[in-house]
Amino acid sequence: MEAHLFRLTRDSTVKAVATRMDIDWRTVKDAEVRYIRGLLRKRNLDGITRIGIDEVSYEKGHKYLTLVTDLDGRRVIYATHGNDGKAIGRFLTWLGPKRCRRIKVVVTDMHDPYLKVLRKRLPKAALVFDHFHVSKVVHDCLDEIRRRLQRELPPAGRRIIKGQRYVLLRAREKLSKKHEVSLQEILNANTDLTKGYILKEAFRDVFMATNLQSGRKRLKAWEAQVRESDVPEMLKVLKTIERRRSGIENFFQFRVANGMAEGFNNVVGTIKKQAYGFHDRDYLRLKILRICGKIE
């Protein structure tokens, strides 16, 4: 009976299965939870050498889960509440000293609470800053420039950049002909936004490097461009990039990113809708491990 209930809950909510089977929802949920816990105990975690760490929002009010993925196994191996150093500490304690020593590469964002614990407890692992998160810093900077100019420019200038956030942040080769015309108007205005956009596109080119030497060369060239631009927002970002240089350069060496974790974030959104009829945080965590953890 429990095995049957477990199979049914993979693609249906607990409530839907309870209605279909004409039993109490608690019976269905308890059966699923017991089965998940049993399968988790049978996992093989010994061969993991590269992990990814990311956070996902599960409720309004800055409530987060930290997800840890096995990058080579393409699965979530751990989920815990919070997005601070304690969350990472819980994971490493759970993983154990022997398995921790096997970790060679950790892909993460530039979140200080994570980094502090990782450097202390995984001193031999290479920390790689996910280039999507690094690029987001530059994207956010470009949007700050746009908002500043929206306040400073005369009406004619404001009309050119109003509502053009999508055009500025989208990869140029993916723009429609209509959006390309709008972008060209912005670039022709020759403001700090023009400089910022050129730097944003140049930063994309940095991550096209195929080895460490080329990556370092491209990054240094980009940094020189930022200094020459003298755009205040970009100069602020430059300080962040310089402070995080080692993790960025590790990307050029290991060529690994956290894109898979971002994909899991979308799955978590669907799981939340199924799990949150019961307002049970641990059940949500177990559902994520079931669906994204390849335990079946």
Side-chain angles (χ1 to χ4, degrees):
M1 178 66 170
E2 280 202 350
H4 182 56
L5 293 176
F6 178 72
R7 287 193 294 271
L8 292 176
T9 52
R10 177 166 182 85
D11 300 311
S12 300
T13 65
V14 166
K15 184 178 180 180
V17 173
T19 301
R20 175 180 172 181
M21 301 296 293
D22 193 26
I23 56 179
D24 188 83
W25 65 266
R26 295 177 186 83
T27 301
V28 179
K29 180 186 171 186
D30 290 347
E32 183 183 14
V33 167
R34 281 193 293 272
Y35 236 84
I36 293 173
R37 292 189 186 281
L39 290 172
L40 289 174
R41 286 193 291 270
K42 297 177 182 178
R43 288 182 299 174
N44 181 5
L45 303 172
D46 289 337
I48 298 173
T49 59
R50 305 195 306 171
I51 61 172
I53 299 173
D54 203 4
E55 62 183 35
V56 56
S57 172
Y58 70 90
E59 190 177 327
K60 292 180 179 179
H62 301 289
K63 293 187 178 180
Y64 294 93
L65 284 167
T66 291
L67 303 183
V68 182
T69 56
D70 167 12
L71 294 175
D72 296 303
R74 302 187 66 80
R75 56 178 174 159
V76 175
I77 58 171
Y78 190 81
T80 187
H81 295 277
N83 63 338
D84 55 9
K86 292 180 180 179
I88 298 301
R90 287 194 294 273
F91 162 67
L92 296 173
T93 298
W94 167 83
L95 191 64
K98 187 175 180 180
R99 291 187 180 122
C100 281
R101 286 193 294 271
R102 295 186 182 128
I103 301 298
K104 304 300 181 185
V105 176
V106 181
V107 183
T108 183
D109 59 19
M110 297 182 287
H111 191 44
D112 280 321
Y114 286 173
L115 300 177
K116 184 177 180 181
V117 177
L118 289 168
R119 287 181 177 125
K120 180 179 180 180
R121 298 187 59 176
L122 296 178
K124 295 184 178 180
L127 297 184
V128 178
F129 293 146
D130 179 68
H131 75 279
F132 295 109
H133 284 97
V134 177
S135 296
K136 185 179 183 299
V137 174
V138 176
H139 283 204
D140 291 345
C141 172
L142 185 62
D143 200 41
E144 284 182 29
I145 299 170
R146 182 187 64 83
R147 291 197 300 269
R148 170 168 65 82
L149 293 180
Q150 191 72 50
R151 297 189 301 267
E152 296 176 355
L153 289 176
R158 289 201 297 269
R159 280 195 297 271
I160 293 174
I161 65 175
K162 184 178 180 181
Q164 299 300 330
R165 182 177 187 274
Y166 171 86
V167 171
L168 289 164
L169 299 184
R170 183 78 167 166
R172 188 163 189 171
E173 67 273 11
K174 295 182 180 179
L175 292 177
S176 66
K177 291 183 179 179
K178 179 182 177 181
H179 286 143
E180 179 66 35
V181 170
S182 298
L183 175 62
Q184 197 58 53
E185 288 181 355
I186 295 171
L187 298 181
N188 289 342
N190 199 27
T191 64
D192 277 357
L193 200 53
T194 305
K195 297 178 184 177
Y197 181 83
I198 292 171
L199 288 168
K200 186 265 290 188
E201 288 294 295
F203 198 66
R204 290 178 61 208
D205 186 62
V206 169
F207 289 97
M208 299 297 179
T210 56
N211 57 63
L212 180 58
Q213 183 179 2
S214 175
R216 283 174 172 167
K217 184 177 179 180
R218 293 186 187 205
L219 185 58
K220 287 181 180 179
W222 182 83
E223 290 170 342
Q225 284 182 276
V226 173
R227 294 187 190 95
E228 185 178 348
S229 76
D230 204 31
V231 178
E233 293 87 350
M234 280 292 178
L235 291 173
K236 183 178 178 182
V237 166
L238 180 59
K239 292 180 180 179
T240 299
I241 299 299
E242 289 176 333
R243 193 168 64 249
R244 306 300 194 193
R245 183 185 299 278
S246 63
I248 295 172
E249 290 185 348
N250 279 340
F251 171 79
F252 305 133
Q253 181 175 353
F254 295 98
R255 301 297 303 178
V256 62
N258 233 359
M260 180 175 55
E262 294 297 322
F264 285 140
N265 287 354
N266 297 328
V267 177
V268 169
T270 301
I271 295 172
K272 285 191 298 184
K273 295 176 184 177
Q274 294 183 348
Y276 253 81
F278 305 100
H279 303 285
D280 185 334
R281 297 195 319 169
D282 193 54
Y283 179 59
L284 172 64
R285 185 183 65 82
L286 290 172
K287 286 287 284 189
I288 291 170
L289 290 170
R290 177 184 181 179
I291 303 301
C292 303
K294 292 186 177 181
I295 63 173
E296 298 180 60

